[in-house]
Amino acid sequence: AQTIHQWPVAEIKAVGSPLSLGCTIKGKSSPNLYWYWQATGGTLQQLFYSITVGQVESVVQLNLSASRPKDDQFILSTEKLLLSHSGFYLCAWSLRDKLSNERLFFGHGTKLSVL
Amino acid sequence: AQKVTQTQTSISVMEKTTVTMDCVYETRDSSYFLFWYKQTASGEIVFLIRQDSYKKENATEGHYSLNFQKPKSSIGLIITATQIEDSAVYFCAMREGDSNYQLIWGSGTKLIIKP
């Protein structure tokens, strides 16, 4: 069975400090991977997606970057946090083929508070 | 431009009744896919049901079904025999085309099931 693990579960960080969030998918080869951000009580905003190792596409610019160093790993990071980065970050995966009509499977998310 | 709109911010119904949540979308694409996801209080997001634009029949999945009105660009979610555990935020989302990695999300409807 496929599992998706996100870390950390929660973070409290200072403005201007660096950030690294991670996501690992086990049990599924070459998945499509996604990062989403959700403001408290808000909708989901897609940040990045990756269809293969080493390739990441940006959907919105929020002073964040993403990388896919391994087939099963997706990293979200920034060197300098802003207050506006606070929120809930979700990693998700979908099957590599049948792109458009495939469901997303989400991780449990990381709650980020920037103070 | 692509857009997904959920006008109902919150709905409250009695347990064991049927509830309908509205969603309208905007797209210029002739091929698109519509999804409903549920986010529980813990933040977990799970896929519920999907409608492909080229299918005339309304999708059903357990006690979830869809009311797909293509001329009105509307995709309502119907939950029958509601249970307390159906209390959650429900998101409508759309993906256009056959090779699109971006999902456009609505703002969500909070469903409260009263005992």
Side-chain angles (χ1 to χ4, degrees):
Chain A
Q2 307 86 13
T3 58
I4 178 168
H5 174 58
Q6 271 190 255
W7 73 91
V9 172
E11 277 267 50
I12 299 175
K13 303 278 281 185
V15 170
S17 63
L19 174 77
S20 182
L21 304 179
C23 172
T24 299
I25 292 84
K26 295 297 183 188
K28 180 55 65 178
S29 178
S30 302
N32 295 324
L33 297 175
Y34 309 83
W35 275 112
Y36 280 89
W37 173 77
Q38 184 180 33
T40 302
T43 189
L44 281 86
Q45 172 64 63
Q46 187 172 339
L47 301 175
F48 299 93
Y49 67 87
S50 171
I51 63 171
T52 192
V53 176
Q55 286 187 13
V56 176
E57 299 296 331
S58 173
V59 177
V60 293
Q61 290 295 330
L62 286 180
N63 292 314
L64 295 167
S65 60
S67 64
R68 187 171 178 175
K70 301 178 186 177
D71 186 53
D72 63 353
Q73 196 173 74
F74 208 17
I75 307 295
L76 183 70
S77 60
T78 182
E79 292 185 2
K80 221 172 194 180
L81 277 167
L82 307 172
L83 284 174
S84 57
H85 285 138
S86 291
F88 196 48
Y89 289 83
L90 291 140
C91 179
W93 69 271
S94 66
L95 290 173
R96 182 78 183 267
D97 50 354
K98 292 185 185 178
L99 302 165
S100 290
N101 65 353
E102 278 300 320
R103 66 170 75 175
L104 296 179
F105 296 87
F106 284 87
H108 285 90
T110 296
K111 184 173 181 181
L112 175 65
S113 299
V114 182
L115 307 175
Chain B
Q2 329 118 306
K3 191 177 179 182
V4 175
T5 303
Q6 294 179 255
T7 55
Q8 299 158 305
T9 305
S10 181
I11 300 175
S12 182
V13 300
M14 298 299 294
E15 190 180 11
K16 299 178 185 173
T17 61
T18 294
V19 64
T20 298
M21 283 174 272
D22 302 329
C23 175
V24 292
Y25 56 90
E26 294 177 26
T27 178
R28 294 180 180 172
D29 228 304
S30 58
S31 174
Y32 51 90
F33 305 90
L34 301 162
F35 304 82
W36 280 90
Y37 287 82
K38 164 185 174 180
Q39 185 173 33
T40 62
S42 68
E44 184 183 13
I45 299 178
V46 293
F47 164 81
L48 298 177
I49 192 167
R50 182 189 87 220
Q51 180 76 40
D52 300 344
S53 62
Y54 57 86
K55 291 186 177 178
K56 292 184 179 179
E57 317 80 49
N58 290 321
T60 61
E61 194 75 49
H63 78 142
Y64 303 107
S65 61
L66 296 176
N67 180 17
F68 182 38
Q69 298 184 59
K70 198 170 182 179
K72 294 184 179 180
S73 296
S74 170
I75 185 74
L77 173 69
I78 303 165
I79 307 177
T80 56
T82 52
Q83 303 162 17
I84 298 296
E85 50 266 34
D86 290 324
S87 296
V89 178
Y90 289 79
F91 289 97
C92 177
M94 174 179 69
R95 181 175 286 144
E96 297 176 317
D98 295 325
S99 301
N100 188 350
Y101 300 93
Q102 190 171 354
L103 201 57
I104 307 298
W105 296 75
S107 55
T109 296
K110 183 174 183 177
L111 177 64
I112 301 166
I113 307 296
K114 297 182 290 186

